[in-house]
Amino acid sequence: MKKVKYFYNTNTLRYEKLETPLRVTLLRVIGFISASLVTSLIIAWLLFRNFPSANEEILRTENDKLKQQFLVLDEKTRQLNQKMMELEKRDNEVYRTIFEATPIPDSVRLKEMEQQKEIDLVMSLTSNQLENSVTGTINRLALRMAYQDKSFNEISGFLKNKEKLLAATPAIQPVSNADLKRVASGYGYRIDPVYKTVKFHAGLDFTAPQGTPIYATANGVVKVAGNIGNGYGNHVVLNHGYGYETLYGHMYRLKVKGGQVVRRGEIIGWVGSTGKSTGPHCHYEVHKNGRPLDPVYFFYNDLSPEQFNRLLKMAASANQSFD
């Protein structure tokens, strides 16, 4: 039975029945419902944030794994990109120069990117940023590798008709260096041993005992043989034709004379320390049309791929030259 409430009316001096207006009752009901909803939402949010469901936990774990996989893929693509850049550099600056072919600009290597509708299709299948990034990088590398493969095939064609050019192209080390322990300083900016300043070193320094034989690295004609006061001491310059010249500096003694014809592997002198030199060594340079090139890229006749990679790392060390 509903409980009836009364109040004392001071005006009438009587007890009268207390009646609550409908508006007040509705406001109370609405207030209670609103407070209940807000409280429920807060509790649900706290539970959702701090106590994820089993499915959410699985999704989080998978998401963490995907992020780790992306980092691994990103590192692999970065390494591939570095190797690709090295191949392109060798192709443009060495191999295509050797065979007098026009270098391929980077824009041409990526020219067909617009024609690859498959790439656009793959990229439009998802809006996930990580997937797009990896997919785009891999596709760009694939295109660059395709162009590089095409370039190497073109160079292979040059090989068939350029036997004389190959014989005149420097292709061996100037001193015996089977264990690869004689490369002391590489091509590039190095510390000058006399002035202790950073200067451009246009060749490779091979350390060896005085009297060690020095070999012609390609067929050619002796252009210079002697000491002309240019800092190289007793040195030899060979003209190989096709724009190639090689220089062998700081010899103890020469075996060849100006105008003499020499063949690859023939002894042209012996290691010494004449001229601007701080110790017995052979300073070796390769020039193409008057421009110095890194000699390390021309040792392909007497090195395996593994040895070549070792020699690259040794020659790239930033150290002090011997001259």
Side-chain angles (χ1 to χ4, degrees):
M1 183 175 178
K2 185 178 179 181
K3 192 174 183 179
V4 179
K5 294 183 179 181
Y6 293 88
F7 76 99
Y8 182 74
N9 190 332
T10 57
N11 293 324
T12 61
L13 301 177
R14 296 175 59 187
Y15 284 96
E16 296 180 0
K17 187 177 181 181
L18 180 63
E19 294 182 356
T20 304
L22 179 60
R23 181 175 62 83
V24 174
T25 302
L26 290 174
L27 287 175
R28 289 177 180 175
V29 172
I30 292 172
F32 176 77
I33 294 173
S34 299
S36 300
L37 286 174
V38 171
T39 304
S40 300
L41 289 173
I42 293 174
I43 294 173
W45 180 79
L46 290 173
L47 290 174
F48 177 78
R49 184 176 181 83
N50 298 299
F51 303 98
S53 65
N55 289 335
E56 290 171 347
E57 191 65 34
I58 292 173
L59 289 175
R60 284 187 182 182
T61 303
E62 290 180 351
N63 189 44
D64 290 338
K65 288 182 180 179
L66 286 174
K67 287 182 178 179
Q68 291 299 322
Q69 290 173 0
F70 168 75
L71 292 176
V72 173
L73 284 173
D74 188 58
E75 176 62 20
K76 287 183 178 179
T77 52
R78 186 188 66 79
Q79 294 175 1
L80 283 173
N81 191 58
Q82 287 183 342
K83 291 180 181 179
M84 195 67 239
M85 290 174 65
E86 177 65 23
L87 283 174
E88 290 170 354
K89 180 180 178 182
R90 291 189 205 175
D91 184 36
N92 277 347
E93 297 184 7
V94 180
Y95 303 139
R96 298 189 74 82
T97 300
I98 290 174
F99 297 107
E100 300 175 335
T102 304
I104 300 176
D106 293 337
S107 58
V108 174
R109 284 191 170 96
L110 298 174
K111 184 178 180 181
E112 290 190 358
M113 193 74 165
E114 298 176 357
Q115 302 176 7
Q116 301 296 319
K117 294 182 180 179
E118 293 82 2
I119 296 176
D120 296 333
L121 177 61
V122 172
M123 297 295 284
S124 64
L125 290 177
T126 177
S127 59
N128 186 285
Q129 185 177 1
L130 300 183
E131 183 178 347
N132 286 348
S133 176
V134 174
T135 302
T137 302
I138 291 175
N139 283 324
R140 284 192 295 272
L141 281 172
L143 281 176
R144 290 168 68 183
M145 287 180 179
Y147 265 105
Q148 201 59 56
D149 184 62
K150 181 180 178 181
S151 176
F152 286 153
N153 288 337
E154 184 180 353
I155 291 173
S156 297
F158 296 151
L159 284 169
K160 296 178 181 178
N161 300 315
K162 296 218 173 184
E163 292 182 3
K164 290 184 179 180
L165 172 59
L166 288 175
T169 301
I172 63 173
Q173 298 179 84
V175 297
S176 178
N177 188 29
D179 57 5
L180 304 181
K181 293 182 178 180
R182 287 183 168 173
V183 176
S185 183
Y187 177 91
Y189 286 93
R190 297 291 185 271
I191 300 174
D192 188 280
V194 177
Y195 303 109
K196 303 302 180 182
T197 58
V198 177
K199 296 179 65 177
F200 184 73
H201 191 239
L204 291 179
D205 289 341
F206 291 85
T207 58
Q210 182 166 300
T212 300
I214 297 175
Y215 305 98
T217 58
N219 298 352
V221 178
V222 178
K223 179 180 178 181
V224 177
N227 190 339
I228 59 176
N230 57 2
Y232 291 114
N234 294 326
H235 69 288
V236 171
V237 175
L238 298 182
N239 183 356
H240 305 283
Y242 303 97
Y244 283 108
E245 288 187 352
T246 52
L247 182 148
Y248 313 77
H250 312 293
M251 292 185 181
Y252 166 70
R253 186 160 59 93
L254 309 181
K255 186 182 178 183
V256 295
K257 298 179 180 180
Q260 181 177 337
V261 176
V262 297
R263 300 185 65 81
R264 178 182 292 146
E266 184 177 338
I267 296 176
I268 58 175
W270 291 269
V271 170
S273 186
T274 57
K276 181 175 169 286
S277 171
T278 56
H281 74 287
C282 173
H283 176 81
Y284 175 64
E285 296 182 10
V286 176
H287 293 254
K288 171 71 172 179
N289 296 325
R291 183 171 64 93
L293 300 176
D294 191 342
V296 75
Y297 292 119
F298 291 84
F299 299 148
Y300 46 80
N301 260 25
D302 57 353
L303 292 178
S304 67
E306 293 78 14
Q307 290 176 317
F308 181 74
N309 286 331
R310 282 178 55 199
L311 193 62
L312 274 179
K313 293 179 181 178
M314 294 168 63
S317 299
N319 51 16
Q320 179 175 286
S321 64
F322 270 62
D323 46 39

